[in-house]
Amino acid sequence: MVKIISANVNGIRSATQKGFIDYLGRVDADIVCVQELKAQEPDMKPEMKNPHGMHGVWHCAEKRGYSGVAIYSKRAPDNVQIGMGIEEFDREGRFVRADFGGLSVISLYLPSGTSAPERQELKYRFLDAFYPMLNEMKAEGRDIVVCGDWNIAHQNIDLKNWKGNQKNSGFLPEERAWIGKVIAELGWTDMWRTLYPEIPGYTWWSNRGQAYAKDVGWRIDYQMVTPGLAAKAVASHVYKEEKFSDHAPLVVEYDYSI
């Protein structure tokens, strides 16, 4: 059995203070994908780089206190890819890949378009660039899981207030259509929605008002999986017993060995 976690920590230092590293010590995950480190390598204490003796690889943003992704794993990766090979996105630390035997795991932080129109345009450029990458990765014939904050809710079930968000970044028709194509045309599996077609599975809540308390959430964190590995998924859950950030960890267990 392989347990894989995806978690946007909204700052690894803040999440550590809120118990995230302690959680990793208890949950016994094989692989943990983290997004929004918001730290440079010198800022990260040893337990943030190698929690509980796990191997760590990361891709930090050039801008301090911003973005950044990491992968922690029980066993050392056979191969690591830092970045997408596209400078505009790699400056922001949005992609890291680790290979373990026949399994490849990606920690992804897809841009948000909420802060300004130019950020939405960058988000569209990212989607245009990442789509062929997804196609190429699937064509490798390996078992692959892309974990991360995709910053898009695909269907109405994926956010509480879908009627009021149809003109907002994260639920725009173009974004939703893109996710739909990743699934229907490229053949990737949205693991949570496949396992639980009727359970919302929210993973992010606004800090405004009582969104978390009232569970007015969005499902924007995914494990997108190639078909062979998807067939081996056993169970999934969103961990909400503790609150490490404005996101909650997405945990999926696969009947698989690495």
Side-chain angles (χ1 to χ4, degrees):
M1 198 72 69
V2 171
K3 183 184 291 185
I4 301 177
I5 297 178
S6 183
N8 180 316
V9 294
N10 194 15
I12 187 65
R13 290 167 290 184
S14 170
T16 297
Q17 292 178 342
K18 296 173 183 175
F20 180 67
I21 302 298
D22 294 336
Y23 161 72
L24 295 186
R26 297 191 307 272
V27 76
D28 193 34
D30 296 279
I31 300 169
V32 181
C33 294
V34 171
Q35 302 86 41
E36 270 203 283
L37 291 172
K38 290 188 173 180
Q40 312 300 113
E41 188 172 342
D43 302 327
M44 296 165 62
K45 294 180 179 178
E47 65 267 25
M48 300 173 194
K49 294 180 178 180
N50 305 102
H52 306 283
M54 298 180 88
H55 298 270
V57 295
W58 43 83
H59 184 200
C60 299
E62 291 180 3
K63 182 180 177 182
R64 296 191 68 84
Y66 181 73
S67 192
V69 291
I71 298 175
Y72 305 131
S73 57
K74 280 186 178 178
R75 61 160 278 194
D78 303 318
N79 185 59
V80 173
Q81 177 187 340
I82 305 292
M84 299 166 62
I86 302 172
E87 184 182 0
E88 178 180 30
F89 308 125
D90 290 347
R91 284 198 302 265
E92 297 190 350
R94 296 191 173 276
F95 179 101
V96 63
R97 168 176 169 165
D99 299 337
F100 308 89
L103 175 68
S104 295
V105 180
I106 289 101
S107 185
L108 173 78
Y109 181 38
L110 201 148
S112 169
T114 57
S115 61
E118 55 266 32
R119 294 302 297 177
Q120 184 64 34
E121 290 305 312
L122 179 135
K123 184 177 186 179
Y124 285 139
R125 290 197 297 277
F126 189 100
L127 299 184
D128 288 343
F130 194 52
Y131 190 84
M133 285 185 63
L134 286 167
N135 193 34
E136 290 164 9
M137 286 192 290
K138 187 165 179 289
E140 293 179 32
R142 297 172 58 81
D143 294 315
I144 305 177
V145 51
V146 183
C147 295
D149 177 359
W150 293 61
N151 266 313
I152 301 170
H154 180 207
Q155 299 170 318
N156 294 351
I157 190 176
D158 296 321
L159 69 167
K160 185 77 169 182
N161 183 21
W162 65 267
K163 289 183 180 178
N165 279 291
Q166 294 178 77
K167 294 183 179 180
N168 292 334
S169 180
F171 199 58
L172 295 172
E174 301 91 333
E175 298 171 333
R176 299 171 62 195
W178 184 88
I179 287 274
K181 285 175 62 180
V182 168
I183 296 165
E185 296 186 13
L186 297 186
W188 289 82
T189 299
D190 174 355
M191 208 63 257
W192 175 272
R193 185 55 64 228
T194 299
L195 286 170
Y196 308 115
E198 298 179 0
I199 301 175
Y202 304 143
T203 60
W204 175 82
W205 299 261
S206 170
N207 286 321
R208 297 174 184 171
Q210 296 291 310
Y212 188 79
K214 295 179 179 178
D215 202 27
V216 181
W218 294 54
R219 188 177 74 94
I220 55 176
D221 300 87
Y222 297 79
Q223 293 196 23
M224 283 286 188
V225 184
T226 48
L229 180 60
K232 298 177 181 179
V234 175
S236 181
H237 69 274
V238 178
Y239 181 77
K240 291 186 64 182
E241 282 69 25
E242 300 168 89
K243 195 171 188 290
F244 309 120
S245 80
D246 50 353
H247 294 250
L250 171 64
V251 185
V252 183
E253 296 181 70
Y254 301 88
D255 186 7
Y256 193 87
S257 59
I258 54 172

